[in-house]
Amino acid sequence: MTETHNATTTSPSSPEAAQPARPRYKVTGLRVLRSEWAKLWTLRSTWITLALGLVFLIAFGVIAAAQYGSGSGLDDGGPGGDLSNADALGLSLFGISLAQMAFGILGVMVTAGEYSTGMIRSTLAAVPRRLPVLWSKSAVFGLVTFAVGTIGALVAFLIGNELVSGTAAELSLSDSGVVRSLLGAGVYLGLIAVIGTALGALFRSVAGGISVLVGTLMLVPNLTSLLPNSWEDDVNKYLPTNAGESLYSLTHDAASLSPTAGLLVLLGWSALALAGAAYRLVRKDA
């Protein structure tokens, strides 16, 4: 009895058939923006610091307006100084100096924090050209701060204006310059956030970036008093804080810049900080 064996032949499957081709993702500006947006909101410090900045902006504005409305502390030389000639807009934006520090410090942390954790190496590996990372971080955080700052300024004004209703300080949104000043406050805070982001990328240290930011916004304006009187006014108005103040001030005098000139000066400071950060990002290893 003979058995016949039928041999079956199988052809080996090709590697292409066994493993489907992996899709190739191209690095685009929109994808980098989306990545930085996602990273921004995954940080707990983002929520906390943005909330603090918003509280500073609204709470101190409402306190100043309430103090004016009650008639107390108008000429006592206290923290609020002389509020007797103030208007509802100036009272409502009384907390902007503290809000700018909160938003600026968060900007430093957005970039310098990645260097301290080492995450920047993964970021730059995903975006080898590097500079889109800086532009995206600055744009995302700057726009977020602009939105939060504008909303905070508007809320502070609406509440503060109600508190001073019936007094000489009362204004309305339809009054000349009010809407421009409220938007100017948001623009100023947004650009301060961009400067903070650039300083974080430039110094790659949270402590170093915050130190330079605080010195620029708070110490340098006081040090200009050491300059000759003929120089002091000319130098003062070109500092970031004073140039920014012209954006959200309702009135202007000869010692201050116009809103347009103030915006151009502040944009110049932002561009200078970003240029320094871009140079170091391209020239130095992470």
Side-chain angles (χ1 to χ4, degrees), residues 172-196:
S172 71
L173 286 173
S174 60
D175 287 336
S176 176
V178 172
V179 173
R180 186 266 305 161
S181 296
L182 293 174
L183 289 173
V187 170
Y188 171 63
L189 292 173
L191 289 176
I192 289 297
V194 170
I195 291 174

Side-chain angles (χ1 to χ4, degrees), residues 38-53:
K39 284 193 289 184
L40 177 67
W41 295 111
T42 55
L43 297 173
R44 185 181 301 176
S45 58
T46 299
W47 297 92
I48 295 174
T49 313
L50 283 177
L52 281 176

Side-chain angles (χ1 to χ4, degrees), residues 25-39:
Y25 295 100
K26 183 179 179 181
V27 177
T28 64
L30 181 59
R31 284 175 174 159
V32 178
L33 282 170
R34 290 173 59 186
S35 172
E36 294 304 327
W37 173 269
K39 284 193 289 184

Side-chain angles (χ1 to χ4, degrees), residues 61-63 65-70 157-165 167:
V62 170
I63 291 171
Q67 188 179 29
Y68 180 96
S70 66
F157 173 77
L158 293 177
I159 298 175
N161 196 49
E162 188 66 26
L163 292 173
V164 300
S165 178
T167 69

Side-chain angles (χ1 to χ4, degrees), residues 15-116:
E16 290 79 4
Q19 296 181 353
R22 296 177 60 185
R24 293 183 179 180
Y25 295 100
K26 183 179 179 181
V27 177
T28 64
L30 181 59
R31 284 175 174 159
V32 178
L33 282 170
R34 290 173 59 186
S35 172
E36 294 304 327
W37 173 269
K39 284 193 289 184
L40 177 67
W41 295 111
T42 55
L43 297 173
R44 185 181 301 176
S45 58
T46 299
W47 297 92
I48 295 174
T49 313
L50 283 177
L52 281 176
L54 193 60
V55 168
F56 289 152
L57 187 57
I58 297 175
F60 281 89
V62 170
I63 291 171
Q67 188 179 29
Y68 180 96
S70 66
S72 62
L74 297 183
D75 299 290
D76 60 2
D82 183 9
L83 302 179
S84 57
N85 296 319
D87 53 59
L89 182 68
L91 294 168
S92 301
L93 296 179
F94 192 76
I96 199 168
S97 59
L98 290 175
Q100 71 176 357
M101 296 307 304
F103 295 136
I105 288 172
L106 181 57
V108 173
M109 295 169 61
V110 164
T111 47
E114 284 204 39
Y115 284 93
S116 62

